[in-house]
Amino acid sequence: MSFFDSYDFTGESTAHLARLINNVNTGVWEYNTITKTAKWSKGFYAILGYQPGEIECSYQNFFENILYYQDKQPFLKATHYTGPAPAPVAQIRLLTKQQGYQWFESSVLKHDDDDGSFIYGVLNNINQYKIAEVKAAQADFRCGETGRIARLGGWDIDIASMTLNMSREVYNIFELYGDIKLSIEEAISFFEPAYRQTIAKAVDDAIKYCKPYDLEVQFKTAKNNIIWVRAKGIPVIDDFGRCVTVRGIFQDIDIIKRDGLSMQSSINLLDDKNKRLQNFAYIVSHNLRSHAGNLKFMVNLFEETKAEADKEEIFSHIKTISESLSATMGHLDEIVKIQSEIGKERKLVNFEAMFNNVMALLRTNIDAANVQITTDFDEVADINYIPAYLESIFQNLLTNAIKYKHPDRNPIINCYTRRDDNHIYLVFEDNGVGIDMKRYGDQLFGMYRTFHHNKDAKGIGLFITRNQVEALGGSIAVDSTVNVGTKFTVRLT
Amino acid sequence: MSAERKMVTACIIDDDDIFIYGFKKFMEIKGVFAEILNFSNGQEAIDYLKDPSYADKLPDVIFVDINMPVMDGWEFTHNFEELKSQMGKKVSLYAISSSVDVNDINRAKKNPVIEDYILKPISETYIADIINSYQPGLRNAN
């Protein structure tokens, strides 16, 4: 009879089967629970590396000497299994003659025979697979650990079903725990609104046009933490060039990105400062040159002039130049002072008190120009600032407002403080001549920049104000309409 | 007719009164035969050049400072360029400044409207030569 006619081996085929059992590379054993005797097939010896009969064939020998002590429990459990068939398979380690312990798979069949109770078992060497499995598990662990340490996970989108699969680490970055399956749209909704469209378009382009992407964007986790992430996707195409899968990585780069951003902002600050210094050097050189040039010019003229009256006039100009030079040196001192005072201690300064101080200093000018001043420092009454700076800021803004008052009306000045979440602002409004912002806006705070035909204009006040404000990390903005007035908004902190 | 020496009209635009004073005095001393117009900023000069009543008193040569209030030298140059074709005569333009900023120098050199960029302190002889070169006396001789 053929193997295919029946699954049961009966009659003559038993002898055939016995031969088979003795020749296959599998260990077969039989144990009589009544007589406590064991039988091992040739293959049993062979898989352990022995010749038949080379070692004692007994349950005791097997259990005590060959079976690894830690695998006794799983072996017994499988052997004495009483539940419904099939009996479970145990993976156990057995001591071989020359290769130490190796992994085997043990399957057991209990058979209650007329002669007594028999247990049959089969052993197969699975060492190769087991080692591969251990290695794979190790690699997997290492990979998982790498991902965990790098805060980096993998994901893919199957285009046919439009389903998104994400690795454990991606879920960790999402701060989503438990079995939650996200749709593509749901995953995209985790990105911050400002970047949502970018990421949606990138995914769309990857699917439609096989365009890879690599983005650094902001993301809000399930626990509402806003972090920077790197999202990179690469389309996988079929033979027709169609995108079948988008595969990618997802990494939490928050720390790196924030460091980078703060570095960039430091660089920008330094860059600004460098530009200001460069600009300052040009301006000073220009100003000193023009005085020095004039001085040389006048001295030459003085030498070449015969008329006594002319000489007198020339000398008066030389005196003027000398005074201008002193004034320029004074400006230089003031600017250098800004830098040297920056280290001075900040103190709690009261806006109202400081403003009254400055008003007292400028009393003559204020009265002469009939200036009407209103202040409101209720919203922010005090500030931690360098007192000399605040005094100088008030003084320059007030002087500026009086100097550029409108010829047809008395000056009205309105000064108040404002606060938002992070900053304190000082607002200074006037109804003066105003300035054409389109034409001069970018030069307004430049040194020696004057815009009106005003003999008092020196082009130094606003330059110093800006330098003081910026030296303490603030900024100054201006809004102005010609013939209506000017509004300075100084962000102090 | 006898050969008549015609007066050159020069124009100086600068907000520095001392410079203008010195400029005029020097031309006098150097014996430059010129009438000198002066303006303290670009706007005043443009207003003059645009005014039809001064059409017969246009300058032959203009010296313009770069840094000035109201209208600076660059803006003046720009406006001058637009006016140039409507003016009845050829008027040459020179920039005069104490700015050693390479940006200013290159900007002036690149502008075809500006004949030259003259750095302050000026050489009186160079200025006198420029003005004299516009002396049409010889060519005008009948």
Side-chain angles (χ1 to χ4, degrees):
Chain A
M1 73 184 283
S2 151
F3 273 88
F4 302 103
D5 287 337
S6 168
Y7 296 106
D8 297 316
F9 302 106
T10 50
E12 289 138 339
S13 66
T14 311
H16 174 74
L17 204 60
R19 268 205 310 282
L20 196 68
I21 287 165
N22 276 327
N23 289 303
V24 291
N25 191 26
T26 295
V28 181
W29 54 268
E30 180 195 295
Y31 181 65
N32 185 326
T33 55
I34 307 214
T35 62
K36 312 274 185 213
T37 51
K39 276 186 194 163
W40 296 349
S41 72
K42 277 186 196 164
F44 192 105
Y45 293 100
I47 58 170
L48 294 176
Y50 296 103
Q51 293 297 321
E54 196 178 337
I55 49 169
E56 184 199 324
C57 168
S58 73
Y59 180 74
Q60 164 123 17
N61 187 24
F62 175 81
F63 196 74
E64 297 301 334
N65 301 325
I66 294 171
L67 181 62
Y68 184 58
Y69 77 100
Q70 282 198 341
D71 294 341
K72 283 177 179 174
Q73 283 307 321
F75 178 76
L76 288 174
K77 208 173 153 193
T79 311
H80 298 287
Y81 175 78
T82 49
V89 170
Q91 294 189 339
I92 54 172
R93 277 157 291 186
L94 301 177
L95 188 62
T96 63
K97 185 178 178 184
Q98 274 167 336
Q99 288 174 301
Y101 281 103
Q102 297 237 314
W103 281 98
F104 289 85
E105 194 173 76
S106 156
S107 355
V108 171
L109 177 66
K110 239 187 188 150
H111 189 65
D112 292 319
D113 199 271
D114 295 340
D115 307 340
S117 275
F118 286 95
I119 303 172
Y120 303 95
V122 178
L123 289 171
N124 275 308
N125 188 315
I126 55 161
N127 203 54
Q128 214 180 326
Y129 309 109
K130 193 69 188 176
I131 294 299
E133 187 187 310
V134 169
K135 275 189 184 154
Q138 247 174 15
D140 215 41
F141 176 75
R142 234 179 255 138
C143 185
E145 280 295 284
T146 308
R148 196 179 61 77
I149 293 163
R151 307 269 300 142
L152 172 77
W155 54 267
D156 56 61
I157 295 171
D158 177 60
I159 304 303
S161 59
M162 283 306 273
T163 49
L164 172 67
N165 296 303
M166 311 194 298
S167 78
R168 175 52 42 210
E169 195 49 43
V170 177
Y171 279 100
N172 287 344
I173 297 170
F174 271 71
E175 295 193 286
L176 275 178
Y177 306 100
D179 273 332
I180 302 158
K181 184 97 179 143
L182 292 181
S183 71
I184 298 167
E185 290 72 29
E186 282 165 342
I188 287 173
S189 75
F190 278 78
F191 289 87
E192 279 289 277
Y195 299 97
R196 230 171 264 162
Q197 194 142 18
T198 312
I199 199 91
K201 188 175 185 313
V203 173
D204 211 43
D205 283 357
I207 295 169
K208 275 198 199 129
Y209 312 117
C210 302
K211 209 170 125 191
Y213 65 87
D214 191 351
L215 300 167
E216 291 183 1
V217 290
Q218 277 193 307
F219 179 89
K220 191 191 239 165
T221 69
K223 290 186 177 168
N224 287 328
N225 293 314
I226 294 171
I227 55 168
W228 281 95
V229 294
R230 179 182 178 197
K232 182 175 181 176
I234 288 169
V236 180
I237 56 167
D238 66 6
D239 291 344
F240 302 99
R242 286 177 302 224
C243 176
V244 286
T245 305
V246 180
R247 197 170 285 154
I249 58 154
F250 190 72
Q251 186 175 18
D252 173 359
I253 55 165
D254 201 51
I255 293 167
I256 306 165
K257 186 77 181 176
R258 279 186 205 282
D259 283 355
L261 288 177
S262 88
M263 181 98 78
Q264 192 55 49
S265 90
S266 302
I267 290 171
N268 289 347
L269 270 177
L270 281 175
D271 214 38
D272 281 356
K273 201 165 178 176
N274 262 339
K275 272 187 202 143
R276 280 213 302 279
L277 282 173
Q278 176 82 354
N279 194 29
F280 176 60
Y282 272 132
I283 290 160
V284 168
S285 116
H286 173 264
N287 200 258
L288 289 178
R289 279 181 71 90
S290 69
H291 292 321
N294 273 350
L295 190 60
K296 182 169 170 260
F297 202 38
M298 286 301 123
V299 170
N300 285 351
L301 197 56
F302 189 84
E303 281 175 340
E304 295 200 19
T305 302
K306 310 278 180 309
E308 211 43 52
D310 281 349
K311 284 200 169 204
E312 222 166 276
E313 189 175 1
I314 293 161
F315 191 73
S316 80
H317 286 312
I318 290 175
K319 272 204 314 219
T320 311
I321 294 164
S322 154
E323 280 156 18
S324 304
L325 269 172
S326 300
T328 302
M329 294 316 288
H331 298 155
L332 279 180
D333 285 349
E334 276 191 69
I335 288 148
V336 173
K337 223 166 72 187
I338 296 174
Q339 291 305 320
S340 61
E341 275 176 348
I342 195 172
K344 277 200 183 159
E345 210 181 331
R346 296 184 189 208
K347 283 184 190 143
L348 196 67
V349 193
N350 183 268
F351 281 107
E352 184 94 53
M354 184 57 86
F355 194 84
N356 288 337
N357 246 350
V358 175
M359 279 216 294
L361 284 173
L362 298 174
R363 181 50 61 198
T364 331
N365 305 33
I366 293 169
D367 290 346
N370 268 321
V371 189
Q372 187 192 320
I373 300 174
T374 53
T375 58
D376 178 2
F377 301 119
D378 285 350
E379 189 159 328
V380 190
D382 307 284
I383 187 170
N384 220 12
Y385 216 70
I386 295 176
Y389 279 16
L390 192 64
E391 183 179 351
S392 163
I393 291 165
F394 273 142
Q395 196 172 336
N396 279 326
L397 289 176
L398 257 175
T399 313
N400 197 67
I402 298 170
K403 207 183 270 177
Y404 301 105
K405 69 188 174 76
H406 198 279
D408 303 340
R409 55 181 179 249
N410 283 338
I412 300 172
I413 292 167
N414 190 16
C415 182
Y416 53 91
T417 49
R418 285 282 175 270
R419 177 201 296 280
D420 69 11
D421 291 346
N422 306 309
H423 306 295
I424 292 173
Y425 300 88
L426 175 70
V427 186
F428 202 96
E429 294 169 343
D430 68 46
N431 65 338
V433 286
I435 189 158
D436 185 345
M437 291 302 292
K438 265 223 291 271
R439 205 162 146 191
Y440 302 120
D442 55 332
Q443 305 167 27
L444 195 53
F445 298 100
M447 193 182 189
Y448 299 124
R449 300 310 304 218
T450 55
F451 310 98
H452 302 87
H453 201 65
N454 187 330
K455 285 289 164 200
D456 295 336
K458 292 187 192 67
I460 195 80
L462 289 180
F463 176 79
I464 287 180
T465 299
R466 189 188 70 170
N467 270 274
Q468 287 171 328
V469 168
E470 288 182 0
L472 294 187
S475 65
I476 184 163
V478 64
D479 193 16
S480 187
T481 311
V482 175
N483 284 328
V484 174
T486 305
K487 176 183 178 180
F488 289 96
T489 306
V490 186
R491 180 170 64 74
L492 293 168
T493 60
Chain B
M1 275 174 100
S2 64
E4 193 188 328
R5 209 174 164 203
K6 206 177 163 214
M7 184 85 94
V8 177
T9 307
C11 166
I12 169 92
I13 310 167
D14 199 319
D15 61 325
D16 183 348
D17 295 340
I18 295 175
F19 183 77
I20 288 181
Y21 169 80
F23 188 92
K24 284 181 161 177
K25 265 288 180 248
F26 256 110
M27 293 309 115
E28 213 178 291
I29 289 168
K30 294 277 165 193
V32 174
F33 194 57
E35 188 187 333
I36 298 172
L37 304 166
N38 64 276
F39 303 101
S40 64
N41 67 61
Q43 188 62 56
E44 289 178 10
I46 287 293
D47 290 346
Y48 178 90
L49 296 174
K50 268 187 181 165
D51 192 333
S53 55
Y54 297 121
D56 55 340
K57 288 178 186 161
L58 291 177
D60 298 286
V61 53
I62 297 174
F63 299 94
V64 65
D65 184 26
I66 299 298
N67 289 309
M68 285 181 295
V70 187
M71 185 192 284
D72 69 10
W74 301 123
E75 212 177 331
F76 171 80
T77 306
H78 181 75
N79 288 323
F80 172 77
E81 200 177 348
E82 286 176 354
L83 276 179
K84 221 179 160 187
S85 58
Q86 298 154 35
M87 289 191 286
K89 68 195 265 194
K90 185 183 184 298
V91 180
S92 303
L93 180 68
Y94 290 81
I96 290 192
S97 174
S98 46
S99 169
V100 283
D101 188 334
V102 281
N103 295 323
D104 283 343
I105 295 170
N106 287 336
R107 191 169 165 190
K109 293 244 151 105
K110 272 189 202 145
N111 192 329
V113 180
I114 298 172
E115 306 279 339
D116 196 5
Y117 182 88
I118 303 167
L119 199 60
K120 287 182 189 173
I122 57 164
S123 146
E124 305 88 30
T125 326
Y126 180 43
I127 302 291
D129 286 349
I130 290 172
I131 295 175
N132 282 329
S133 74
Y134 293 96
Q135 182 66 254
L138 297 171
R139 274 174 289 150
N140 254 13
N142 287 339

